[in-house]
């Protein structure tokens, strides 16, 4: 195999990256982390919780080192006088075969201080990973400072809501990088020196950490880190929250060090991030977009009135019902106001039924973030990384900011009800009646403009026929073909109460 090596412009013993990943030890197993997903670039010195460690010189059986094909040196380490040498790499597979896979060779150098540096490269093979030998662990004696990445450095004596560093990495998006790039783990937050407070952005838009389980490899690393508790309110000040990392189907398999969080005026959060625990494979702090709408979504939304969204409708393999849209929506079922299900949904006319993993908000909560689960076979939450925004509206209904998904799924309807709107007659009898909106036609006829994008008060052309005798509570409302000026309706814009004169 012919390999083109880069020219060495400086001594790699003084110019390397530290790679402290204890989970690469030959005594570790359980994961299949593939080094083909990492962005290898240059020379590395290997550590095990701060202690020097080496790549093994003998075979390590497959399914160790938290990978499938275990990579070791096919030959001894060099001496200091040897300088930079080339070593073949062997990959073990099928549990018994020690060198069935031979990836690209690497360069190695012995350094003063009894440690080695390795020019690691992409192995270009199916799920292979470099191992470390726990029997070679030694305390570092060198005083040479390696090249490290400094995330930030902040003075602690300030209000973190006005003094913070920004993180605007789109690959942290829970529904972005991992699903686009496949089984890659290009990023690792243990590499940086975290120091101070940070505010999250995605593509320049305000974001926050997810408060729910996130699928592994969803945020640019192998282990997706999420907030183990709700975000605070402004009045709460600085609070401490646990950090968890998912492992395949286990949401809280990993636990990192807690962080501090603060809610700030202006509806955003700041976080005092710390370096995640080294025992967690390639951990990354995840982010979800959270931007308050500029217009009240209770007054500006679109309608979804598909009967196949009901939970009593089974999936038809001949019909492809996949939600692929973005924006604020209100749900109806057969013309009656409806809402998303708050419990596991096994069917609703799509391949992956989606349901709200949490309760609907109250009016006073405003716009909130909620986690969406998508079911698959016997797994109620097969897809775990899907966030939406929800708002409760006057009139006992909800609006949802639905988002495009990465799979063929649809938002399911779990309940519906009649909506009663008070209609106040300012007439001789001064009676009050409650007319139910029993269908979409009633809603459209009485207040059609409410379901458009208009936000200014409207004047209805509906008229009322009044009797000469006092009315009872069963007085009928009819519509005239020609509006009568003296009995015109003036509906309110936001409350749903209609005054009739």
């Amino acid at each position: 195999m012919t390999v083109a090596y880069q020219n060495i412009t400086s001594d790699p013993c003084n110019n390397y990256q530290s790679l402290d990943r204890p989970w690469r030890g030959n005594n570790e197993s359980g994961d299949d982390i593939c080094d083909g997903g990492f962005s290898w670039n240059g020379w590395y010195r290997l550590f095990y919780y701060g202690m020097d460690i080496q790549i093994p010189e003998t075979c390590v059986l497959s399914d160790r080192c938290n990978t499938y094909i275990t990579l070791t040196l096919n030959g001894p380490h060099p001496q200091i006088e040897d300088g930079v040498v080339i070593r073949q790499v062997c990959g073990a597979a099928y549990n018994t075969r020690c060198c069935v896979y031979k990836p690209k060779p690497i360069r190695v150098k012995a350094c003063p201080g009894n440690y080695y540096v390795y020019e690691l490269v992409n192995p270009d093979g199916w799920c292979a990973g470099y191992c470390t030998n726990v029997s070679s662990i030694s305390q570092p004696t060198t005083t040479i400072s390696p090249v490290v990445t400094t995330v930030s450095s902040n003075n602690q004596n300030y209000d973190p809501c006005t003094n913070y560093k920004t993180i605007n990495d789109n690959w942290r998006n829970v529904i972005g990088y991992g699903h686009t790039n496949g089984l890659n783990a290009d990023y690792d937050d243990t590499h940086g020196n975290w120091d101070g407070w940070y505010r999250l952005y995605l593509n320049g838009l305000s974001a926050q950490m997810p408060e729910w389980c996130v699928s592994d490899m969803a945020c640019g690393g192998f282990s997706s880190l999420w907030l183990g508790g709700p975000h605070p309110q402004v009045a709460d000040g600085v609070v401490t929250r646990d950090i968890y990392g998912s492992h395949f189907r286990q949401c809280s398999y990993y636990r990192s060090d807690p962080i501090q969080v603060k809610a700030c005026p202006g509806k955003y959060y700041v976080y005092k991030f710390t370096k995640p625990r080294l025992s967690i494979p390639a951990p990354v702090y995840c982010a979800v977009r959270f931007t308050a709408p500029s217009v009240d979504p209770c007054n500006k939304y679109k309608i979804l009135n598909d009967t196949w969204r009901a939970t009593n409708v089974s999936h038809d393999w001949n019909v492809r019902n996949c939600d692929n849209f973005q924006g604020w929506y209100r749900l109806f079922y057969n013309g009656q106001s409806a809402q998303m299900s708050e419990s596991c949904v096994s069917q609703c006319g799509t391949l992956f039924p989606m349901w709200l993993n949490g309760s609907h908000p109250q009016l006073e909560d405003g716009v909130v973030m909620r986690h969406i689960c998508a079911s698959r076979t016997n797994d109620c939450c097969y897809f775990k990384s899907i966030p939406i925004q929800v708002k409760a509206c006057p009139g006992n209904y909800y609006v949802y900011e639905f988002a495009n998904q990465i799979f063929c799924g649809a938002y399911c309807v779990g309940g519906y009800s009649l909506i009663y709107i008070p209609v106040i007659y300012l007439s001789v009898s001064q009676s009050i009646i409650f007319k139910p909106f029993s269908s979409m036609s009633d809603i459209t006829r009485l207040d059609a403009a409410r379901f458009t994008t208009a936000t200014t008060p409207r004047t209805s052309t509906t008229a009322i026929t009044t009797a000469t005798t006092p009315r009872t509570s069963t007085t009928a409302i009819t519509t005239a073909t020609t509006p009568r000026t003296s009995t015109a309706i003036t509906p309110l814009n936001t409350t749903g109460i209609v005054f009739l004169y």
Side-chain angles (χ1 to χ4, degrees):
M1 179 182 297
T2 302
V3 179
Y5 294 102
Q6 295 181 352
N7 293 329
I8 300 176
T9 57
S10 61
D11 186 355
C13 289
N14 302 328
N15 187 18
Y16 57 80
Q17 299 178 58
S18 297
L19 201 64
D20 198 335
R21 290 175 172 171
W23 47 268
R24 290 184 179 274
N26 53 359
N27 61 339
E28 298 283 344
S29 62
D31 284 326
D32 285 333
I33 304 175
C34 314
D35 277 349
F38 292 105
S39 299
W40 300 104
N41 182 26
W43 290 80
Y44 297 86
R45 179 178 175 181
L46 304 179
F47 290 91
Y48 185 90
Y49 293 113
M51 298 177 288
D52 280 302
I53 195 169
Q54 304 171 17
I55 294 179
E57 298 174 353
T58 57
C59 176
V60 175
L61 295 180
S62 61
D63 293 314
R64 304 292 195 275
C65 312
N66 280 317
T67 191
Y68 176 64
I69 300 177
T70 52
L71 302 182
T72 60
L73 289 184
N74 188 16
H77 282 76
Q79 303 296 314
I80 290 181
E81 57 270 20
D82 296 331
V84 176
V85 301
I86 296 175
R87 287 291 182 262
Q88 297 296 322
V89 175
C90 268
Y94 311 115
N95 292 322
T96 58
R97 302 178 64 180
C98 280
C99 206
V100 65
Y101 173 61
K102 296 181 180 180
K104 297 175 182 177
I106 63 173
R107 293 193 288 188
V108 187
K109 185 180 181 183
C111 299
N114 194 30
Y115 68 93
Y116 299 92
V117 289
Y118 306 85
E119 189 181 33
L120 302 179
V121 297
N122 191 320
D124 286 338
W126 185 79
C127 205
Y130 294 104
C131 287
T132 55
N133 182 11
V134 293
S135 64
S136 68
I137 294 173
S138 63
Q139 291 290 343
T141 59
T142 179
T143 58
I144 297 174
S145 299
V147 177
V148 295
T149 302
T150 300
V151 178
S152 75
S153 180
N154 291 318
N155 190 316
Q156 301 300 310
N157 298 319
Y158 57 73
D159 179 6
C161 287
T162 55
N163 295 274
Y164 55 79
K165 294 291 183 180
T166 61
I167 300 177
N168 190 24
D169 304 317
N170 196 47
W171 46 264
R172 295 183 185 273
N173 194 334
V174 297
I175 55 173
Y177 185 88
H179 300 296
T180 302
N181 296 272
L183 301 180
N184 284 2
D186 283 346
Y187 302 97
D188 187 337
D189 278 344
T190 64
H191 283 176
N193 289 338
W194 297 90
D195 178 24
W197 289 82
Y198 304 87
R199 180 178 176 184
L200 293 170
Y201 289 85
L202 291 172
N203 279 336
L205 298 176
S206 188
Q208 67 182 56
M209 285 195 69
E211 301 172 357
W212 54 83
C213 178
V214 178
S215 300
D216 54 310
M217 292 183 286
C219 309
F222 184 82
S223 303
S224 306
L225 301 183
W226 51 280
L227 203 66
H231 281 78
Q233 303 296 318
V234 172
D236 297 330
V238 176
V239 301
T240 300
R241 291 290 183 264
D242 290 326
I243 296 294
Y244 294 100
S246 57
H247 177 267
F248 296 107
R249 313 309 299 167
Q250 301 180 57
C251 290
S252 304
Y253 186 84
Y254 298 112
R255 184 169 182 171
S256 190
D257 294 325
I259 65 170
Q260 291 182 305
V261 187
K262 186 179 182 182
C264 300
K267 296 183 178 180
Y268 67 90
Y269 303 96
V270 289
Y271 307 86
K272 191 174 184 181
F273 289 132
T274 62
K275 179 182 289 188
R277 293 181 181 176
L278 297 174
S279 58
I280 304 175
V284 164
Y285 291 108
C286 294
V288 294
R289 181 182 65 84
F290 184 84
T291 303
S294 58
V295 177
D296 186 355
C298 290
N299 298 331
K300 185 177 182 180
Y301 55 79
K302 299 177 183 178
I303 286 175
L304 292 179
N305 188 31
D306 306 309
T307 56
W308 56 262
R309 295 183 184 275
T311 55
N312 61 350
V313 178
S314 59
H315 173 53
D316 184 350
W317 289 95
N318 296 317
V319 179
R320 185 175 175 84
N321 290 323
C322 310
D323 285 345
N324 187 24
F325 44 72
Q326 182 85 30
W328 286 90
Y329 290 84
R330 180 179 174 184
L331 293 171
F332 286 84
Y333 175 76
N334 277 333
Q336 298 177 356
S337 188
Q339 66 185 56
M340 289 192 67
S341 174
E342 297 178 354
S343 58
C344 179
V345 172
S346 60
Q347 64 177 20
C348 80
T350 186
L351 182 59
F352 295 112
M354 293 189 289
W355 53 280
L356 200 67
N357 189 13
S359 61
H360 282 77
Q362 303 296 315
L363 282 173
E364 58 270 21
D365 296 331
V367 177
V368 299
M369 183 78 72
R370 286 294 184 263
H371 176 211
I372 296 294
C373 278
S375 306
R376 178 186 179 186
T377 314
N378 295 324
D379 192 338
C380 285
C381 205
Y382 182 79
F383 291 107
K384 295 182 172 67
S385 307
I386 311 162
I388 66 170
Q389 295 187 100
V390 188
K391 186 180 182 184
C393 298
N396 193 30
Y397 67 93
Y398 302 95
V399 288
Y400 309 84
E401 189 188 30
F402 292 143
N404 294 329
Q405 303 303 335
I406 58 166
F407 50 85
C408 182
Y411 300 98
C412 299
V413 169
Y416 62 90
S417 61
L418 301 180
I419 299 178
Y420 288 83
I421 304 296
V423 182
I424 302 176
Y425 292 91
L426 301 182
S427 62
V428 176
S429 65
Q430 292 291 304
S431 62
I432 299 177
I433 66 170
F434 294 84
K435 170 136 175 34
F437 283 171
S438 59
S439 68
M440 281 287 294
S441 60
D442 287 345
I443 296 176
T444 305
R445 182 170 60 252
L446 186 60
D447 198 8
R450 182 175 179 81
F451 301 97
T452 66
T453 58
T455 57
T456 56
R458 301 170 294 281
T459 301
S460 174
T461 58
T462 307
I464 283 191
T465 301
T466 58
T468 57
T469 58
R471 290 174 301 203
T472 65
S473 60
T474 58
T475 302
I477 299 178
T478 62
T479 55
T481 56
T482 304
R484 295 170 54 183
T485 304
S486 61
T487 57
I489 296 176
T490 304
L492 293 182
N493 187 40
T494 58
T495 63
I497 300 175
V498 182
F499 290 85
L500 306 180
Y501 298 92

